[in-house]
């Protein structure tokens, strides 16, 4: 796998990170660590008093009805609370030179930019209706999720602006037929062998 064993793939929910990370992992023969799994592990091992941001959504289910801008603020708080865990996972893989793709909504561009030996890219989808359609395809039983799509678009716009400010590549999620190749180019990965 090229010279950087750690790849960070960030972006808001519903932008297609999983649709990119799994084929990318196969192409690079690399495992995937999903930030959601880190969140679950930390929630199982801590209390709301120890890490309030990580437990916020479970402790306050009514918060799903807050204004979208407030929900985005909470997502940013969760992402910031996860920075030490992300750094620890990355440091372990760099120390052992073990390849990994770390994927998730809660990756911060600033963290990606400050870690040596890491390549990062953020997917961005600026069309709220497309995000809502993505949710409907992925979670048909939940029905239309327009409020969630608005939150995702706002958070994604924030992540994209942060990535651009940090010098981390931002790749539009569409068109989907070539997103994997565009992500690979943004990461400066060698083309797949024939």
């Amino acid at each position: 796998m090229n010279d950087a064993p750690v790849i960070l793939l960030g972006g808001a929910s519903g932008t297609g990170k999983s649709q990119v990370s799994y084929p990318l992992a196969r192409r690079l023969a690399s495992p995937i660590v999903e930030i959601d799994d880190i969140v679950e592990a930390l929630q199982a091992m801590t209390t709301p008093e120890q890490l309030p941001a990580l437990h916020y959504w479970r402790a306050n289910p009514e918060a799903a009805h807050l204004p979208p801008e407030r929900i985005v603020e909470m997502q940013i708080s969760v992402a910031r609370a996860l920075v030490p865990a992300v750094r620890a996972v990355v440091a372990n893989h760099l120390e052992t030179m073990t390849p990994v793709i770390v994927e998730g909504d809660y990756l911060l561009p600033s963290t990606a930019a400050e870690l040596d030996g890491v390549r990062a890219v953020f997917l961005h989808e600026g069309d709220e209706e497309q995000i809502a359609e993505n949710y409907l395809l992925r979670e048909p039983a939940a029905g239309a999720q327009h409020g969630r799509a608005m939150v995702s678009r706002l958070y994604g716009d924030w992540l994209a602006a942060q990535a651009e400010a940090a010098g981390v590549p931002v790749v539009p999620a569409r068109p989907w037929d070539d997103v994997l190749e565009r992500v690979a180019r943004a990461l400066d990965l060698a083309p797949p062998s024939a």
Side-chain angles (χ1 to χ4, degrees):
M1 175 174 162
N2 294 305
D3 58 348
V6 177
I7 291 175
L8 305 181
L9 177 61
S13 173
T15 59
K17 293 179 306 298
S18 295
Q19 299 292 39
V20 170
S21 63
Y22 285 90
L24 186 62
R26 284 190 296 274
R27 176 173 165 173
L28 299 174
S30 177
I32 295 174
V33 169
E34 294 185 17
I35 294 294
D36 288 346
D37 291 338
I38 295 173
V39 171
E40 290 295 323
L42 289 172
Q43 286 174 335
M45 297 181 67
T46 63
T47 66
E49 294 74 31
Q50 292 169 315
L51 286 173
L54 287 185
H55 292 269
Y56 182 81
W57 300 112
R58 286 188 180 165
N60 302 283
E62 73 284 355
H65 303 292
L66 290 170
E69 295 79 9
R70 180 70 182 117
I71 294 173
V72 170
E73 288 173 11
M74 289 310 304
Q75 287 182 301
I76 294 167
S77 294
V78 173
R80 288 182 174 145
L82 284 168
V83 167
V86 171
R87 284 186 181 142
V89 169
V90 168
N92 179 58
H93 282 269
L94 290 174
E95 183 179 322
T96 60
M97 289 303 291
T98 307
V100 69
I101 295 170
V102 181
E103 176 261 309
D105 306 359
Y106 292 125
L107 286 173
L108 290 177
S110 56
T111 304
E114 70 189 25
L115 295 169
D116 292 331
V118 172
R119 293 185 187 177
V121 65
F122 281 74
L123 281 182
H124 181 253
E125 174 57 71
D127 183 340
E128 213 167 285
E129 288 304 313
Q130 183 62 59
I131 296 170
E133 186 177 317
N134 295 351
Y135 285 145
L136 192 56
L137 288 169
R138 186 172 81 187
E139 303 161 10
Q145 299 183 63
H146 294 287
R148 184 178 174 202
M150 178 187 289
V151 168
S152 181
R153 198 250 322 143
L154 290 170
Y155 182 55
D157 290 349
W158 182 84
L159 285 172
Q162 295 293 307
E164 288 172 5
V168 176
V170 176
V171 172
R174 290 177 295 144
W176 290 315
D177 60 344
D178 70 343
V179 66
L180 179 60
E181 290 313 310
R182 289 184 289 112
V183 164
R185 281 195 302 274
L187 292 168
D188 197 27
L189 299 176
S193 9

